[in-house]
Amino acid sequence: MQKTLYALIELQEIDNRLDELRDERGDLPLIVEELEEKLAEKKELLGQKNDALKEARLRQKELELQIEESKHKLDEFEEKLYQVKTNREYDAIMAETDSAKEKLKTGEDELKEKKELIEALNNEIKQLEEEIEKINDELEENRVELNKKLNETAEEEKLLKQERELVVKKTKPEIIKTYEMVREARNGQAIARIENGFCGGCHSYIPPQKVVEVKKMEKIYTCEYCGRILVYYEE
């Protein structure tokens, strides 16, 4: 059990240093991740706006052709009016004229709406492109800073992880599981050293008899208050 407890002490020291290395990076990993997500969202929205613009422009051309056709038909109907010989022919041409005028008005109204939509989409696309450029610059700046910090600690972190793996391999899985659970619950500190009769984690009083038992290192004892694994050793 003595070897196991010393292994846990070593594991805690390794994890403490790994935590320090992560803390040195600060919020950079999270900032980079958030900027990447934001950039992806903006790009997706830009794609949607470009698709809508393409569709609106296509419809604009269709409407312009439709309007030209309606105007051409109205000219034809106007010429036919001078050639009619019966009231029935006159009524028929007038009905077609009214229909063409209605189609022309509908087309012109929709064309106006499409032009307004195209203008709005162009403005939105321009704004999105500016936002994307700004996010890209900010993302690149933070990536450079993060990579710099990662490169500075990459070798040490690699060695620490290798050491950690060796310690974990030579320790029983159920003990490692307990260690990990306590560490997660107690802000990264699963091991607490007894200092002057108090728990080094939560500073709760440890009865003298329990201190004696912990010193023997024959069994794993935990703090009754914070649940950390108690150890007693000199620096």
Side-chain angles (χ1 to χ4, degrees):
M1 185 54 70
Q2 204 173 56
K3 286 183 179 179
T4 298
L5 284 165
Y6 277 122
L8 290 177
I9 292 168
E10 184 182 358
L11 187 60
Q12 182 68 76
E13 289 174 350
I14 292 170
D15 283 337
N16 285 347
R17 180 55 185 155
L18 285 170
D19 288 342
E20 285 174 7
L21 294 177
R22 281 188 282 269
D23 288 342
E24 286 175 13
R25 296 167 200 158
D27 294 332
L28 279 172
L30 182 61
I31 290 170
V32 167
E33 184 181 348
E34 288 177 348
L35 286 171
E36 286 173 341
E37 290 176 359
K38 191 175 180 181
L39 182 63
E41 289 172 4
K42 293 291 183 182
K43 283 184 174 179
E44 184 180 356
L45 183 58
L46 179 62
Q48 292 171 359
K49 295 294 181 182
N50 277 319
D51 289 342
L53 179 62
K54 184 178 178 181
E55 186 179 335
R57 282 175 173 166
L58 183 63
R59 182 57 181 161
Q60 179 187 10
K61 289 181 180 179
E62 291 175 352
L63 288 167
E64 287 171 347
L65 289 172
Q66 179 183 310
I67 288 168
E68 285 301 314
E69 184 181 348
S70 295
K71 287 179 178 179
H72 181 67
K73 282 184 177 180
L74 284 172
D75 291 339
E76 288 181 346
F77 294 150
E78 190 174 346
E79 289 180 9
K80 284 182 180 180
L81 280 175
Y82 294 106
Q83 301 171 9
V84 296
K85 296 179 179 179
T86 65
N87 288 336
R88 182 179 291 178
E89 287 178 344
Y90 179 84
D91 291 340
I93 291 173
M94 287 303 297
E96 289 179 324
T97 300
D98 290 340
S99 176
K101 283 181 178 179
E102 183 62 31
K103 192 173 182 180
L104 176 61
K105 185 180 182 303
T106 301
E108 287 176 338
D109 289 344
E110 187 180 349
L111 179 60
K112 182 183 177 183
E113 290 176 2
K114 285 291 177 257
K115 285 181 176 179
E116 290 173 352
L117 175 61
I118 288 169
E119 184 180 357
L121 285 169
N122 276 322
N123 290 333
E124 289 174 10
I125 287 169
K126 183 181 177 181
Q127 184 179 347
L128 277 170
E129 287 173 341
E130 290 173 355
E131 289 176 6
I132 286 171
E133 185 179 357
K134 185 178 178 181
I135 294 170
N136 256 324
D137 291 342
E138 189 178 352
L139 177 59
E140 185 59 27
E141 183 181 336
N142 281 281
R143 272 179 179 162
V144 169
E145 185 64 24
L146 177 59
N147 287 334
K148 181 184 175 183
K149 288 186 178 294
L150 288 172
N151 290 334
E152 287 172 354
T153 59
E155 187 60 29
E156 183 182 359
E157 188 169 7
K158 180 182 175 182
L159 291 172
L160 285 168
K161 285 181 177 178
Q162 289 173 350
E163 288 178 29
R164 190 183 197 283
E165 189 176 345
L166 290 173
V167 174
V168 169
K169 279 183 178 178
K170 66 183 182 183
T171 309
K172 290 181 180 180
E174 60 269 22
I175 293 175
I176 293 296
K177 185 179 179 181
T178 300
Y179 167 86
E180 296 290 3
M181 286 173 61
V182 178
R183 176 172 149 76
E184 184 178 352
R186 293 300 173 188
N187 199 28
Q189 296 299 314
I191 305 296
R193 181 169 164 236
I194 295 177
E195 300 172 352
N196 299 319
F198 293 89
C199 171
C202 67
H203 309 295
S204 298
Y205 176 71
I206 308 296
Q209 183 56 40
K210 190 167 186 176
V211 174
V212 172
E213 294 298 323
V214 172
K215 277 184 179 182
K216 292 179 182 178
M217 300 185 85
E218 294 175 351
K219 184 181 175 183
I220 291 179
Y221 291 92
T222 58
C223 175
E224 294 179 4
Y225 298 94
C226 67
R228 290 182 176 91
I229 298 169
L230 294 171
V231 294
Y232 189 99
Y233 67 97
E234 301 296 334
E235 289 292 352

